[in-house]
Amino acid sequence: MCRKTCRHWDPTLPVIYVITPTYARPVQKAELTRLSHTLMLVTNLHWIVVEDAVRKSSLVESLLMRTALNYTHLNAPTPDIHKRKASVRGVEQRNTAIKWLRNNKNSEVDNGVVYFADDDNSYTLEVFEEMRKTIEVSVWPVGLVGGLMVEKPLLNTTTGRVIGWNSAWRPDRPFPIDMAGFAVNLGHLLRHPKVEFLFNISGGFQESVFLQQLTTTERLEPKADNCTKVLVWHTRTESPKLTEENKLRKLGKQSDKGMEI
Ligand code: UGA
Ligand code: MN
């Protein structure tokens, strides 16, 4: 179940399966290092890292080996026909991880929750404890997304159920929520064998189309103190300017010769 080196493992608690698509770029190692250091502090966490690549890279492989995490390392390149569309980022990779769960986990015996954690967001430790006891689908606010400081579910204060959203960008979305703002019970996902992410979906509707297959607004389980707290931020990393590096590279004098950055 867990590698010997796993520091935080409690067989009585549900396992959190964190699915992270990732792709090669100058900041990749920095992003994955930062994320891995958060995940290493979470009990019962299984990290499924899926590279958007034809082959697994030694950069990701050795980073995973250095963590004390229980992990599965996969790769799945985004098909060429979909490559240039923004709304397909992570689709093939998340589906590959879902397939792995369907093939390796059993809805009758495996107690867990599935969370899609992009490699560039910022996560608190609390968000993982909030999602751990998800029965079907849980939701919570996400900071710095959708053109707002926070995009969040709105609750009926008497019933404590979700009745709407505060979203300003495409509020017509059935579930106007970012990928970082929900988790799905593992058994619930496995009991819906056809559910996956789809290509050919307009930008911002990826989460909605996925969630529509699994739940309804009324059934959602609000977390983070009735959706009053931000426990995850949709941060995006600026691409570094490498103008000098590119000049050096042409001369065969790149600064990272023999080094993994
Ligand atoms: C937003 C959402 O937060 C994402 O969950 C959603 O996938 C994305 O929009 C979209 O559908 O366009 P955003 O910050 O724009 O996120 O996307 P990225 O963080 O650039 O990419 C999402 C994930 O896919 C990341 O983990 C990234 O490493 C990965 N990715 C990105 C790839 O695997 N391949 C790529 O070519 C680009
Ligand atoms: Mn992102």
Side-chain angles (χ1 to χ4, degrees):
M1 179 123 85
C2 174
R3 294 190 309 144
K4 277 197 196 70
T5 46
C6 253
R7 275 175 291 198
H8 307 279
W9 202 268
D10 176 350
T12 66
L13 285 177
V15 177
I16 301 175
Y17 295 92
V18 172
I19 295 175
T20 301
T22 186
Y23 69 111
R25 62 215 193 269
V27 299
Q28 184 182 30
K29 189 177 182 181
E31 304 282 34
L32 291 175
T33 298
R34 189 160 56 108
L35 177 53
S36 73
H37 289 178
T38 302
L39 301 184
M40 281 163 72
L41 297 169
V42 181
T43 303
N44 285 23
L45 190 133
H46 184 131
W47 197 16
I48 306 178
V49 178
V50 192
E51 292 192 63
D52 183 354
V54 180
R55 261 169 245 95
K56 288 177 198 164
S57 67
S58 59
L59 186 150
V60 175
E61 179 77 65
S62 60
L63 186 141
L64 286 171
M65 277 178 5
R66 282 195 309 278
T67 71
L69 283 164
N70 199 43
Y71 67 81
T72 298
H73 183 191
L74 305 169
N75 67 295
T78 300
D80 280 339
I81 40 161
H82 298 299
K83 266 258 149 81
R84 263 174 288 281
K85 284 181 278 174
S87 59
V88 303
R89 273 174 252 158
V91 168
E92 184 74 13
Q93 295 72 38
R94 293 187 195 104
N95 285 345
T96 299
I98 292 171
K99 226 170 277 160
W100 186 89
L101 287 170
R102 295 197 191 285
N103 291 334
N104 292 280
K105 299 292 157 189
N106 182 331
S107 63
E108 300 302 315
V109 293
D110 292 305
N111 188 9
V113 54
V114 179
Y115 182 51
F116 301 102
D118 292 348
D119 60 4
D120 55 343
N121 296 334
S122 306
Y123 305 89
T124 60
L125 299 179
E126 290 90 336
V127 77
F128 298 98
E129 297 318 319
E130 290 292 318
M131 73 178 74
R132 192 185 296 279
K133 302 259 165 88
T134 300
I135 300 162
E136 289 183 3
V137 178
S138 58
V139 288
W140 52 83
V142 177
L144 313 177
V145 75
L148 296 174
M149 284 301 287
V150 55
E151 207 175 51
K152 61 183 181 183
L154 301 173
L155 271 52
N156 176 319
T157 45
T158 315
T159 62
R161 309 302 298 184
V162 178
I163 48 165
W165 313 85
N166 78 330
S167 311
W169 182 76
R170 300 297 304 255
D172 54 320
R173 288 175 290 164
F175 292 89
I177 184 179
D178 186 74
M179 203 66 75
F182 68 89
V184 183
N185 177 279
L186 174 69
H188 188 68
L189 181 63
L190 298 183
R191 283 188 290 272
H192 291 74
K194 296 218 173 72
V195 175
E196 59 172 10
F197 291 94
L198 303 173
F199 292 97
N200 304 321
I201 290 208
S202 36
F205 280 73
Q206 202 56 252
E207 295 86 351
S208 287
V209 174
F210 184 76
L211 287 172
Q212 275 181 312
Q213 303 171 74
L214 289 167
T215 190
T216 57
T217 305
E218 303 74 52
R219 294 186 74 81
L220 293 172
E221 301 149 45
K223 302 288 187 187
D225 281 353
N226 293 320
C227 297
T228 61
K229 297 226 158 68
V230 168
L231 302 178
V232 56
W233 297 263
H234 183 255
T235 47
R236 303 185 79 191
T237 304
E238 186 184 6
S239 296
K241 290 181 189 74
L242 293 169
T243 41
E244 300 307 322
E245 191 67 52
N246 294 335
K247 287 182 208 160
L248 287 177
R249 203 156 281 177
K250 285 196 190 111
L251 304 169
K253 292 181 176 172
Q254 58 265 43
S255 68
D256 59 343
K257 207 173 235 171
M259 288 175 90
E260 185 188 84
I261 311 306

